[in-house]
Amino acid sequence: MKSAIVLAAGKGTRMKSDLCKVMHPVAFKPMIGHIVNTLKQAGVERIVVVVGHGAEDVKEYLKDSVTYALQEPQLGTGHAVMQAMALEGIGGDTIVLNGDGPCMQKETIEQAFMANQEHALTVLSAKLKDGAHYGRIVRDEMGHVKKIVEAKDCIAEELTITEINTGLYVFKNKELFEGLKEIRNDNVQKEYYLTDLVEIFNRKGWSTNAMMVADPNETMGVNDRVDLAKAEAWMRRHINEKHMRIGVTIIDPEHTYIGADVTIGADTILYPNVIIQGESKIGNHVEILSNSFLRNAIIADDVVIDSSKIVESQVDAHTTIGPMSHLRNNTHIHEHCRIGNFVEFKNSEFGEGSKCAHLTYIGDSDFGKKINVGCGVVTVNYDGKHKFRTTVKDGAFIGSNCNLIAPVTIGENALLAAGSTITDSVQDGDMGIARARQSIKEGFGTAYKNKE
Ligand code: UD1
Ligand code: CA
């Protein structure tokens, strides 16, 4: 049985933020979200998140996908783990990791569990050019890990050690809770250090081990906004490479921003400065041009999106969107449609083969198939108090600059004359026209021009 304890109670003072540290997003997702996801992918069955600062925000975000332990006040990483009492008495291995390390990958977590099979404690270490503020791994003459010393508690000689503690450990759960009882706070920071367990385990004759991670970037801890930007850059590269390897063309990976939970099909092309967030699913052979923004968008195959915003909406195959269009709030554009320049759709259906090419607002509407919407059409869906729906049936033709005052229904193959303000429904095959008749004042133009 695999368990995990995620330490996420600290304030993250160096972030200088109203938001608690682990809720800061990397690749559009709170750091703690990345960690919980990765743990689940690695087959960890029980996850206890130790919360303190910002506990309510963390709980609201992770909901009941994990168990919580409250650490109040925060007396150090060892003290934090002591709060995960829910795991005491349970067998198996427990991974302990910091909530501020979003880049950790599933494979590394799996390896850490494997590495601990013959041991009671395995700490993941990394070689850095400069150990900076990290705890140092002190080994004995035989190369065996002896203890971890926090940078603040290091003597000069220890500070030169380049193998550091990544803050990720796997313990035999029984020994973990035994050992915790012996942690004291007699150090520079007057904190209960989890890292003291290495010495405690050694003293008790419980086998300890250090495993060096292949890529130290994975274990980077985010302590301030500079670290946050580094994690963001690493994650962006990692996510983009994953997509490129399965056949997505990313013209400029440094300037393409894709959330961790987005899926993209092969032969799709992303232009520079595209942002795709949330649970968006992009099909094959899709072309997304610069300055497009998608969040929770479902895009089928062979769609072209040009400089447009698509939020919580669906676009079916062979449809083109934009430039400069905005689809939002449960809009569904069906196959072979054309949505053109400066068009906004909200909470609407647009049937197969329909076209809406220029400067139009369609809200709370149900449009059928093969409808042509002219330039500058507005569905007037709101009277200042309530929203109403507009229905337009298959084959209708909506002339340019029409207003459709909802609720209203336009029948099959009906025609609306350009410039009409339509307040009453139009039956199948009929034409609605609602505008003042034009009159001509002969010679008025010239007379006006010649007037003083
Ligand atoms: C810790 C390690 C250090 C390691 C580094 C790796 C200790 C004593 N030191 O140092 O050896 O190199 O991580 O990044 O463990 N937290 C709590 N409750 C607390 C204190 C901290 O939940 O009382 C949480 C924080 O929210 C954070 C994590 O534990 O997510 C690490 O705490 P932090 O203060 O950042 O530890 P470091 O000083 O970085
Ligand atoms: Ca840290």
Side-chain angles (χ1 to χ4, degrees):
M1 163 115 173
K2 291 180 187 169
S3 308
I5 301 173
V6 185
L7 309 186
K11 183 159 185 274
T13 315
R14 286 167 282 174
M15 294 297 284
K16 306 230 164 42
S17 175
D18 293 337
L19 190 65
C20 73
K21 180 160 75 174
V22 297
M23 286 300 291
H24 276 265
V26 168
F28 313 118
K29 182 174 171 156
M31 293 197 263
I32 189 78
H34 286 285
I35 293 169
V36 167
N37 254 19
T38 309
L39 287 169
K40 293 202 165 170
Q41 284 169 13
V44 174
E45 290 140 284
R46 294 180 60 124
I47 302 174
V48 178
V49 177
V50 181
V51 290
H53 279 282
E56 290 314 310
D57 289 348
V58 175
K59 284 181 175 174
E60 197 189 314
Y61 171 63
L62 291 175
K63 303 214 166 59
D64 55 5
S65 63
V66 300
T67 308
Y68 300 95
L70 186 67
Q71 186 199 19
E72 195 63 80
Q74 287 89 35
L75 303 177
T77 48
H79 180 255
V81 174
M82 289 174 204
Q83 314 310 310
M85 297 310 285
L87 294 179
E88 197 173 6
I90 288 174
D93 281 26
T94 297
I95 188 165
V96 176
L97 67 176
N98 293 344
D100 62 1
C103 300
M104 179 58 62
Q105 295 300 304
K106 161 184 157 239
E107 292 73 19
T108 309
I109 290 175
E110 287 167 349
Q111 283 161 16
F113 276 110
M114 294 279 279
N116 199 49
Q117 275 178 348
E118 307 288 316
H119 303 282
L121 187 179
T122 296
V123 52
L124 259 66
S125 67
K127 269 258 196 258
L128 299 183
K129 279 200 194 75
D130 169 18
H133 57 272
Y134 289 104
R136 304 296 199 274
I137 306 279
V138 180
R139 293 182 184 260
D140 64 17
E141 313 76 56
M142 307 292 288
H144 183 259
V145 50
K146 210 167 102 187
K147 59 178 177 179
I148 297 173
V149 186
E150 287 310 291
K152 285 181 181 145
D153 299 293
C154 276
I155 53 170
E157 193 194 333
E158 287 164 342
L159 272 179
T160 63
I161 298 173
T162 53
E163 185 181 7
I164 58 95
N165 170 25
T166 64
L168 189 150
Y169 327 76
V170 179
F171 296 92
K172 287 277 173 296
N173 197 58
K174 226 176 95 266
E175 280 82 354
L176 168 63
F177 282 91
E178 281 277 326
L180 281 173
K181 294 182 185 136
E182 309 206 0
I183 294 184
R184 303 284 171 264
N185 64 347
D186 48 358
N187 51 55
V188 172
Q189 304 190 80
K190 294 280 168 286
E191 284 186 0
Y192 294 88
Y193 289 167
L194 183 65
T195 44
D196 285 355
L197 284 179
V198 175
E199 249 183 311
I200 293 168
F201 273 44
N202 280 331
R203 196 163 65 228
K204 289 186 170 285
W206 298 337
S207 173
T208 58
N209 175 34
M211 176 189 123
M212 196 109 71
V213 292
D215 181 0
N217 286 311
E218 261 187 49
T219 56
M220 78 171 94
V222 172
N223 292 310
D224 59 22
R225 309 266 181 162
V226 177
D227 292 342
L228 189 67
K230 283 183 191 154
E232 180 78 34
W234 187 88
M235 189 81 88
R236 175 163 65 247
R237 204 169 310 132
H238 185 83
I239 291 172
N240 289 350
E241 281 175 12
K242 177 186 84 182
H243 291 296
M244 290 187 273
R245 285 188 213 291
I246 58 172
V248 178
T249 294
I250 300 181
I251 294 175
D252 183 359
E254 283 298 308
H255 300 99
T256 303
Y257 309 85
I258 306 173
D261 302 323
V262 171
T263 62
I264 308 179
D267 285 322
T268 282
I269 302 178
L270 306 182
Y271 283 64
N273 208 19
V274 162
I275 300 177
I276 311 178
Q277 304 184 340
E279 313 244 318
S280 295
K281 293 190 187 349
I282 317 294
N284 297 328
H285 303 276
V286 173
E287 221 177 313
I288 306 184
L289 277 65
S290 294
N291 303 323
S292 293
F293 177 101
L294 282 67
R295 183 193 297 140
N296 297 330
I298 309 296
I299 311 295
D301 299 344
D302 300 293
V303 166
V304 177
I305 298 166
D306 187 354
S307 315
S308 292
K309 182 164 186 168
I310 304 179
V311 177
E312 321 276 347
S313 291
Q314 179 177 340
V315 177
D316 292 349
H318 301 283
T319 282
T320 67
I321 309 288
M324 315 293 176
S325 285
H326 184 187
L327 314 180
R328 62 189 177 97
N329 195 346
N330 276 318
T331 284
H332 182 184
I333 310 292
H334 291 248
E335 293 189 10
H336 295 283
C337 288
R338 175 159 140 62
I339 308 300
N341 312 257
F342 300 98
V343 173
E344 178 182 357
F345 269 84
K346 185 213 114 188
N347 190 20
S348 294
E349 290 279 328
F350 203 60
E352 192 182 329
S354 291
K355 292 185 171 60
C356 179
H358 332 267
L359 303 162
T360 287
Y361 172 62
I362 307 276
D364 302 312
S365 300
D366 300 295
F367 277 62
K369 298 175 189 168
K370 293 202 161 62
I371 291 166
N372 188 78
V373 179
C375 176
V377 170
V378 175
T379 55
V380 184
N381 59 327
Y382 185 48
D383 63 4
K385 291 188 176 134
H386 306 284
K387 301 268 168 79
F388 299 97
R389 288 198 83 82
T390 298
T391 304
V392 179
K393 298 199 171 151
D394 297 352
F397 182 96
I398 314 295
S400 290
N401 203 23
C402 279
N403 301 310
L404 283 73
I405 314 280
V408 71
T409 298
I410 310 302
E412 259 183 61
N413 299 318
L415 181 71
L416 298 185
S420 295
T421 291
I422 300 293
T423 52
D424 299 320
S425 291
V426 177
Q427 301 303 310
D428 293 355
D430 290 353
M431 178 173 87
I433 178 165
R435 62 189 186 210
R437 190 170 283 281
Q438 180 176 328
S439 63
I440 302 286
K441 312 272 185 212
E442 274 175 30
F444 187 92
T446 322
Y448 182 75
K449 207 166 184 184
N450 294 338
K451 216 169 133 187
E452 280 300 293

